[in-house]
């Protein structure tokens, strides 16, 4: 899932994938809350799962990948 997120960010948010690490925070990469909402909505549609982010404290790519993995299992 982590690689899927990196590929999405590189493609949709025009980020250099080499700059994205598991510990990269969204803020450090210039990803704002609107970008995150759009990414989650796209992933929900692609994966066919609802990702309820309410009450989640997710600040980096690895945390988001881990959260999505729990929803898929």
């Amino acid at each position: 899932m982590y690689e899927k997120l990196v590929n999405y960010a590189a493609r949709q948010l025009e980020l250099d994938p080499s700059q994205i690490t598991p510990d990269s925070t969204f803020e450090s990469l210039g990803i704002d809350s609107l970008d995150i909402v759009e990414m989650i909505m796209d992933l929900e549609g692609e994966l066919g799962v609802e990702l309820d982010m309410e009450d989640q404290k997710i600040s980096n790519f690895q945390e988001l990948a881990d959260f999505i993995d729990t929803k898929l299992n």
Side-chain angles (χ1 to χ4, degrees):
M1 182 52 59
Y2 170 77
E3 288 299 320
K4 183 182 275 297
L5 292 175
V6 170
N7 290 333
Y8 176 91
R11 186 179 67 249
Q12 294 298 110
L13 304 175
E14 300 177 1
L15 297 174
D16 181 350
S18 68
Q19 294 180 324
I20 303 170
T21 67
D23 295 327
S24 293
T25 64
F26 303 122
E27 183 179 339
S28 72
L29 295 170
I31 300 172
D32 64 24
S33 59
L34 187 57
D35 291 329
I36 294 169
V37 168
E38 184 177 328
M39 180 168 50
I40 295 302
M41 290 175 60
D42 288 347
L43 288 166
E44 285 177 330
E46 186 176 325
L47 300 171
V49 65
E50 185 175 332
L51 301 171
D52 183 10
M53 300 295 291
E54 190 131 350
D55 299 328
Q56 297 298 315
K57 291 183 174 37
I58 296 173
S59 61
N60 65 43
F61 275 82
Q62 189 62 58
E63 290 172 355
L64 181 56
D66 292 344
F67 172 73
I68 293 170
D69 282 338
T70 63
K71 294 297 185 179
L72 293 175
N73 295 325

